[in-house]
Amino acid sequence: MSFVRPEAARWLSRWNEVLTGLAVAAFGLWLMSLGGVLMLALGGIVLAVSLGMTLLSWRRMRFRMEIDAPGVVSIDEGRISYAGPLMGGGVDLSELVEIEVLDVAGDRRCWRLRQVDRQTLLVPLAAAGADGLYDLFATLPGMDTRALMTALEGDATTARVIWKRTIAPEVILPPRRR
């Protein structure tokens, strides 16, 4: 038996990391208010780190959607796998050359991940486990985090490129033996 309404529990679980970061920031402010050089320095460090972590968790939270798309996304050692009822597959992060966002079937927003060999994988943003893709995409070289954050906004009836690898494919893949 739960004493919390289901809507409130969903809201709290979505905002959990952000609220925790803000609580730790408040603790840092309290430490600073105790006075003394040591407490001022310790509280300042706690405050700065917690605000940085709060910002990152707020950005990640925007990608934590209610799961209403079929399929499951799994991330394992640099490999993104998607298993859906009609399609699926996997992409290695080292072979990824382009990330696009587009709307499929009118209202389902998807990532289109393209590999060096031109194979593509469509991953719905609202699939289970898709919220973990934000952290993975943010580590890509040359990723503009502003473009990543705006992937959820605006019109995507035509594919919008979020990231493109600037290294030539022949540098990524070894040459084929004949």
Side-chain angles (χ1 to χ4, degrees):
M1 180 175 163
S2 176
F3 294 105
V4 180
R5 291 192 336 229
E7 306 86 39
R10 278 195 304 272
W11 186 87
L12 284 172
S13 70
R14 184 168 185 219
W15 284 85
N16 184 25
E17 288 181 35
V18 175
L19 294 174
T20 303
L22 291 175
V24 173
F27 176 71
L29 285 173
W30 176 76
L31 283 176
M32 290 173 68
S33 72
L34 293 178
V37 176
L38 181 65
M39 287 301 178
L40 189 63
L42 183 62
I45 291 170
V46 169
L47 179 66
V49 170
S50 65
L51 288 178
M53 296 300 287
T54 301
L55 177 65
L56 290 175
S57 62
W58 176 75
R59 287 180 174 176
R60 223 178 308 134
M61 186 255 329
R62 291 183 62 194
F63 282 87
R64 205 173 287 137
M65 307 173 129
E66 187 173 331
I67 299 171
D68 68 346
V72 177
V73 177
S74 63
I75 302 165
D76 186 29
E77 295 185 13
R79 180 158 181 83
I80 303 166
S81 301
Y82 172 68
L86 301 176
M87 61 184 171
V91 174
D92 287 325
L93 196 60
S94 62
E95 295 182 9
L96 196 63
V97 292
E98 191 174 66
I99 300 173
E100 298 173 318
V101 65
L102 72 149
D103 289 336
V104 177
D107 62 345
R108 178 121 16 235
R109 187 145 298 185
C110 294
W111 296 111
R112 180 166 42 188
L113 310 175
R114 186 167 293 143
Q115 291 189 134
V116 173
D117 59 0
R118 306 304 285 169
Q119 290 186 40
T120 60
L121 176 66
L122 287 177
V123 179
L125 267 72
D131 57 339
L133 292 175
Y134 173 80
D135 290 331
L136 195 64
F137 291 162
T139 63
L140 291 170
M143 172 59 80
D144 179 18
T145 54
R146 184 172 294 141
L148 187 59
M149 294 304 295
T150 60
L152 303 175
E153 302 166 358
D155 183 32
T157 52
T158 58
R160 262 189 309 159
V161 176
I162 301 298
W163 175 82
K164 195 168 199 162
R165 187 178 297 273
T166 57
I167 300 172
E170 45 279 350
V171 174
I172 299 169
L173 290 179
R176 292 186 181 176
R177 294 184 181 179
R178 293 188 174 130

